[in-house]
mmCIF file of all heavy atoms in Angstrom:
data_model
loop_
_atom_site.group_PDB
_atom_site.id
_atom_site.type_symbol
_atom_site.label_atom_id
_atom_site.label_comp_id
_atom_site.label_asym_id
_atom_site.label_seq_id
_atom_site.Cartn_x
_atom_site.Cartn_y
_atom_site.Cartn_z
ATOM 1 N N PRO A 58 8.223 6.351 -10.042
ATOM 2 C CA PRO A 58 8.092 6.010 -8.625
ATOM 3 C C PRO A 58 8.135 7.274 -7.757
ATOM 4 O O PRO A 58 8.648 8.309 -8.163
ATOM 5 C CB PRO A 58 9.307 5.132 -8.364
ATOM 6 C CG PRO A 58 10.329 5.663 -9.314
ATOM 7 C CD PRO A 58 9.550 6.038 -10.554
ATOM 8 N N ASP A 59 7.624 7.123 -6.533
ATOM 9 C CA ASP A 59 7.715 8.196 -5.542
ATOM 10 C C ASP A 59 9.075 8.186 -4.848
ATOM 11 O O ASP A 59 9.537 9.212 -4.376
ATOM 12 C CB ASP A 59 6.614 8.013 -4.500
ATOM 13 C CG ASP A 59 5.240 8.014 -5.131
ATOM 14 O OD1 ASP A 59 4.878 9.038 -5.732
ATOM 15 O OD2 ASP A 59 4.534 6.992 -5.042
ATOM 16 N N ALA A 60 9.672 7.006 -4.784
ATOM 17 C CA ALA A 60 10.959 6.846 -4.110
ATOM 18 C C ALA A 60 11.792 5.783 -4.825
ATOM 19 O O ALA A 60 11.245 4.882 -5.456
ATOM 20 C CB ALA A 60 10.750 6.429 -2.654
ATOM 21 N N VAL A 61 13.101 5.937 -4.699
ATOM 22 C CA VAL A 61 14.058 4.980 -5.245
ATOM 23 C C VAL A 61 15.002 4.601 -4.125
ATOM 24 O O VAL A 61 15.556 5.460 -3.444
ATOM 25 C CB VAL A 61 14.858 5.585 -6.424
ATOM 26 C CG1 VAL A 61 15.919 4.613 -6.923
ATOM 27 C CG2 VAL A 61 13.952 6.033 -7.548
ATOM 28 N N MET A 62 15.162 3.306 -3.944
ATOM 29 C CA MET A 62 16.126 2.813 -2.960
ATOM 30 C C MET A 62 17.224 2.067 -3.717
ATOM 31 O O MET A 62 16.967 1.041 -4.354
ATOM 32 C CB MET A 62 15.434 1.912 -1.941
ATOM 33 C CG MET A 62 14.398 2.627 -1.094
ATOM 34 S SD MET A 62 15.024 4.029 -0.138
ATOM 35 C CE MET A 62 16.055 3.198 1.046
ATOM 36 N N LEU A 63 18.420 2.623 -3.664
ATOM 37 C CA LEU A 63 19.587 2.023 -4.292
ATOM 38 C C LEU A 63 20.245 1.092 -3.280
ATOM 39 O O LEU A 63 20.406 1.465 -2.114
ATOM 40 C CB LEU A 63 20.578 3.101 -4.703
ATOM 41 C CG LEU A 63 20.049 4.215 -5.603
ATOM 42 C CD1 LEU A 63 21.081 5.320 -5.719
ATOM 43 C CD2 LEU A 63 19.684 3.679 -6.962
ATOM 44 N N SER A 64 20.630 -0.079 -3.702
ATOM 45 C CA SER A 64 21.300 -1.030 -2.818
ATOM 46 C C SER A 64 22.699 -1.282 -3.353
ATOM 47 O O SER A 64 22.855 -1.763 -4.472
ATOM 48 C CB SER A 64 20.514 -2.351 -2.771
ATOM 49 O OG SER A 64 21.211 -3.310 -2.017
ATOM 50 N N MET A 65 23.706 -0.895 -2.535
ATOM 51 C CA MET A 65 25.084 -0.960 -3.025
ATOM 52 C C MET A 65 26.020 -1.526 -1.971
ATOM 53 O O MET A 65 26.125 -0.987 -0.887
ATOM 54 C CB MET A 65 25.559 0.443 -3.417
ATOM 55 C CG MET A 65 24.643 1.115 -4.431
ATOM 56 S SD MET A 65 25.318 2.613 -5.098
ATOM 57 C CE MET A 65 26.652 1.961 -6.072
ATOM 58 N N LEU A 66 26.668 -2.608 -2.327
ATOM 59 C CA LEU A 66 27.652 -3.226 -1.448
ATOM 60 C C LEU A 66 29.041 -3.266 -2.086
ATOM 61 O O LEU A 66 29.980 -3.767 -1.507
ATOM 62 C CB LEU A 66 27.218 -4.635 -1.052
ATOM 63 C CG LEU A 66 25.934 -4.711 -0.237
ATOM 64 C CD1 LEU A 66 25.415 -6.138 -0.196
ATOM 65 C CD2 LEU A 66 26.151 -4.177 1.147
ATOM 66 N N SER A 67 29.157 -2.744 -3.286
ATOM 67 C CA SER A 67 30.378 -2.909 -4.066
ATOM 68 C C SER A 67 31.430 -1.838 -3.805
ATOM 69 O O SER A 67 32.554 -1.960 -4.264
ATOM 70 C CB SER A 67 30.039 -2.889 -5.553
ATOM 71 O OG SER A 67 29.544 -1.614 -5.914
ATOM 72 N N GLY A 68 31.057 -0.766 -3.108
ATOM 73 C CA GLY A 68 31.996 0.325 -2.890
ATOM 74 C C GLY A 68 31.993 1.344 -4.024
ATOM 75 O O GLY A 68 32.788 2.277 -4.019
ATOM 76 N N ALA A 69 31.101 1.205 -4.969
ATOM 77 C CA ALA A 69 31.061 2.119 -6.117
ATOM 78 C C ALA A 69 30.077 3.271 -5.915
ATOM 79 O O ALA A 69 29.756 3.972 -6.857
ATOM 80 C CB ALA A 69 30.699 1.338 -7.370
ATOM 81 N N HIS A 70 29.611 3.478 -4.698
ATOM 82 C CA HIS A 70 28.584 4.498 -4.442
ATOM 83 C C HIS A 70 29.042 5.902 -4.816
ATOM 84 O O HIS A 70 28.261 6.685 -5.341
ATOM 85 C CB HIS A 70 28.122 4.452 -2.987
ATOM 86 C CG HIS A 70 29.239 4.466 -2.011
ATOM 87 N ND1 HIS A 70 29.879 3.305 -1.626
ATOM 88 C CD2 HIS A 70 29.838 5.482 -1.354
ATOM 89 C CE1 HIS A 70 30.839 3.628 -0.759
ATOM 90 N NE2 HIS A 70 30.834 4.931 -0.585
ATOM 91 N N ASN A 71 30.312 6.257 -4.570
ATOM 92 C CA ASN A 71 30.794 7.605 -4.904
ATOM 93 C C ASN A 71 30.895 7.813 -6.406
ATOM 94 O O ASN A 71 30.860 8.948 -6.879
ATOM 95 C CB ASN A 71 32.144 7.887 -4.249
ATOM 96 C CG ASN A 71 32.016 8.173 -2.776
ATOM 97 O OD1 ASN A 71 30.935 8.465 -2.269
ATOM 98 N ND2 ASN A 71 33.124 8.087 -2.069
ATOM 99 N N ALA A 72 31.025 6.752 -7.157
ATOM 100 C CA ALA A 72 31.094 6.866 -8.614
ATOM 101 C C ALA A 72 29.708 6.822 -9.239
ATOM 102 O O ALA A 72 29.412 7.611 -10.145
ATOM 103 C CB ALA A 72 31.953 5.735 -9.184
ATOM 104 N N LEU A 73 28.837 5.923 -8.772
ATOM 105 C CA LEU A 73 27.556 5.708 -9.433
ATOM 106 C C LEU A 73 26.430 6.632 -8.945
ATOM 107 O O LEU A 73 25.627 7.108 -9.751
ATOM 108 C CB LEU A 73 27.131 4.255 -9.285
ATOM 109 C CG LEU A 73 28.018 3.236 -9.995
ATOM 110 C CD1 LEU A 73 27.592 1.825 -9.650
ATOM 111 C CD2 LEU A 73 27.980 3.463 -11.493
ATOM 112 N N CYS A 74 26.343 6.857 -7.660
ATOM 113 C CA CYS A 74 25.222 7.662 -7.148
ATOM 114 C C CYS A 74 25.192 9.078 -7.705
ATOM 115 O O CYS A 74 24.131 9.542 -8.139
ATOM 116 C CB CYS A 74 25.237 7.688 -5.613
ATOM 117 S SG CYS A 74 24.788 6.108 -4.868
ATOM 118 N N PRO A 75 26.324 9.795 -7.728
ATOM 119 C CA PRO A 75 26.283 11.137 -8.339
ATOM 120 C C PRO A 75 25.857 11.120 -9.811
ATOM 121 O O PRO A 75 25.125 12.006 -10.258
ATOM 122 C CB PRO A 75 27.710 11.653 -8.177
ATOM 123 C CG PRO A 75 28.217 10.953 -6.957
ATOM 124 C CD PRO A 75 27.621 9.559 -7.071
ATOM 125 N N VAL A 76 26.274 10.106 -10.556
ATOM 126 C CA VAL A 76 25.884 10.008 -11.965
ATOM 127 C C VAL A 76 24.368 9.815 -12.082
ATOM 128 O O VAL A 76 23.712 10.463 -12.906
ATOM 129 C CB VAL A 76 26.642 8.851 -12.675
ATOM 130 C CG1 VAL A 76 26.093 8.619 -14.069
ATOM 131 C CG2 VAL A 76 28.129 9.159 -12.708
#
Side-chain angles (χ1 to χ4, degrees):
D59 302 298
V61 176
M62 296 301 292
L63 305 170
S64 175
M65 305 190 69
L66 296 167
S67 65
H70 50 274
N71 284 344
L73 294 174
C74 289
V76 172

